[in-house]
Amino acid sequence: AQSVTQPDIHITVSEGASLELRCNYSYGATPYLFWYVQSPGQGLQLLLKYFSGDTLVQGIKGFEAEFKRSQSSFNLRKPSVHWSDAAEYFCAVGARGSARQLTFGSGTQLTVLP
Amino acid sequence: KAGVTQTPRYLIKTRGQQVTLSCSPISGHRSVSWYQQTPGQGLQFLFEYFSETQRNKGNFPGRFSGRQFSNSRSEMNVSTLELGDSALYLCASSPSGESYEQYFGPGTRLTVT
């Protein structure tokens, strides 16, 4: 069974600073990997996804993530954080096959200081 | 395209009652999945439906059930509600084929008193 670990429960950064959110996964083969963002009281918005190919993937809102097979990681990065990026971020893994089932990490709460 | 819609957005029920939540997927999406989100357990997969058939099920008791209609709309039902069922229930739809990404609705906030 797959699993996802997000080691940082809460991260605080200043507006304009760079950001890196960590994600480690456990899965026997090459997984499908996703990052979602959730604002208070809202559903999840897909930021980016990795299926195969180029290990550096670009997403919406200026986010990118890098798949590193050797480290079983899929860290999310942004070069310059905006106050509107404050939210909770979830990393998720999906198994290859017909069923759509995502396993989520516990999330990282991002606070942005002015 | 319109996004995933869920109704109702908020619901308050009493222990022992049952509840039905509804989800309309993005037009053209045939896969609908349900997730439960709680502060203690995080996001947990409930089940997935595709072409009116349950294709996958998470580790939840039989009180949790669902179905999908021919237009891909889905409902989930929770019977004999318990206090621990209080959660945000999220529905997600996914296109067919090799697209595995899921698009989430705003959720239904269920409070059991």
Side-chain angles (χ1 to χ4, degrees):
Chain A
Q2 60 263 36
S3 66
V4 178
T5 301
Q6 293 180 248
D8 303 306
I9 297 173
H10 195 179
I11 284 184
T12 300
V13 299
S14 297
E15 191 169 17
S18 64
L19 172 70
E20 182 169 26
L21 302 183
R22 296 183 291 165
C23 172
N24 292 98
Y25 68 90
S26 173
Y27 182 63
T30 301
Y32 296 126
L33 294 163
F34 307 87
W35 275 98
Y36 285 87
V37 61
Q38 185 178 36
S39 297
Q42 301 298 313
L44 301 172
Q45 182 182 23
L46 178 64
L47 286 176
L48 46 77
K49 63 196 180 201
Y50 172 78
F51 290 165
S52 63
D54 193 350
T55 57
L56 184 64
V57 293
Q58 303 296 321
I60 62 172
K61 304 185 179 185
F63 286 94
E64 67 177 26
E66 187 172 12
F67 170 60
K68 292 185 177 180
R69 184 190 306 274
S70 61
Q71 298 177 19
S72 297
S73 69
F74 188 56
N75 293 348
L76 181 71
R77 299 193 295 249
K78 187 170 184 178
S80 177
V81 171
H82 188 262
W83 64 266
S84 60
D85 294 324
E88 190 156 22
Y89 291 79
F90 293 93
C91 180
V93 62
R96 292 177 183 262
S98 59
R100 296 339 189 222
Q101 174 181 345
L102 296 179
T103 299
F104 286 88
S106 54
T108 297
Q109 182 68 48
L110 174 65
T111 298
V112 180
L113 301 176
Chain B
K1 275 185 182 179
V4 177
T5 59
Q6 292 187 246
T7 57
R9 292 292 310 278
Y10 303 92
L11 207 49
I12 300 175
K13 290 287 188 178
T14 304
R15 269 180 304 176
Q17 289 185 315
Q18 74 165 19
V19 67
T20 299
L21 313 181
S22 181
C23 171
S24 292
I26 293 171
S27 176
H29 288 193
R30 294 166 62 191
S31 167
V32 174
S33 299
W34 290 89
Y35 294 82
Q36 181 196 63
Q37 185 178 25
T38 61
Q41 299 299 316
L43 281 152
Q44 294 185 286
F45 172 77
L46 280 157
F47 29 64
E48 183 219 359
Y49 286 86
F50 180 81
S51 292
E52 303 179 63
T53 300
Q54 187 180 85
R55 191 157 64 172
N56 203 4
K57 189 177 191 303
N59 188 26
F60 278 82
R63 299 185 297 107
F64 292 83
S65 63
R67 60 177 175 169
Q68 187 180 34
F69 302 95
S70 58
N71 61 359
S72 294
R73 190 178 70 85
S74 177
E75 290 181 346
M76 68 163 282
N77 183 276
V78 188
S79 62
T80 319
L81 284 165
E82 301 177 359
L83 294 179
D85 297 332
S86 294
L88 181 67
Y89 290 89
L90 293 162
C91 167
S93 74
S94 179
S96 306
E98 291 303 308
S99 292
Y100 277 71
E101 66 265 30
Q102 295 186 20
Y103 298 90
F104 284 79
T108 295
R109 171 72 63 184
L110 172 65
T111 301
V112 182
T113 62

